[in-house]
Amino acid sequence: MAPTVPAFAGVAEREPPSAVLWLLVIGVAALSWVMACRRWWLPLALWVPVALFDSALVADLVDPVIGPAVRQELGLSYMMQADVTSALTLVLPLMFANAMFIRREQVKPKLRRDIWRR
């Protein structure tokens, strides 16, 4: 008699490892910073593909069949890390765009005053 194997064994192989998720966060942060230094709105273009990736990742984790299988294979810590990294990758481009927009607005009035004084 063959040993019983759960119906969804190996489901976690489809999910990216947690190290890859954290490297994605670092990559999104670095790319957002570089893009925001060029133009304040460029990180917003990065937000759309990141949001699509995060929605696919979270959709797998909250699925009523796949989610418990992933939780059983990888543990609750993976689920928490996936949620935190998804939230960070969504927020980081918006944070960098906002920071550069505010910096640009603070510098702009000073430049206008200098032009009128000349």
Side-chain angles (χ1 to χ4, degrees), residues 82-105:
D83 289 339
V84 168
T85 56
S86 294
L88 283 173
T89 54
L90 283 177
V91 170
L92 282 171
L94 301 176
M95 285 175 39
F96 281 111
N98 186 37
M100 290 301 176
F101 179 77
I102 290 173
R103 181 177 293 168
R104 183 184 68 114
E105 290 297 317

Side-chain angles (χ1 to χ4, degrees), residues 1-20:
M1 183 165 195
T4 59
V5 177
F8 292 102
V11 170
E13 293 174 2
R14 291 184 50 223
E15 303 300 323
S18 60
V20 170

Side-chain angles (χ1 to χ4, degrees), residues 15-70:
E15 303 300 323
S18 60
V20 170
L21 294 176
W22 286 108
L23 286 174
L24 179 69
V25 170
I26 293 168
V28 166
L31 191 58
S32 296
W33 177 68
V34 169
M35 293 171 87
C37 286
R38 183 73 179 135
R39 298 275 186 252
W40 72 265
W41 49 266
L42 275 177
L44 300 178
L46 182 64
W47 190 82
V48 173
V50 168
L52 291 174
F53 172 77
D54 287 342
S55 64
L57 177 67
V58 172
D60 283 346
L61 297 179
V62 297
D63 186 83
V65 176
I66 298 172
V70 171

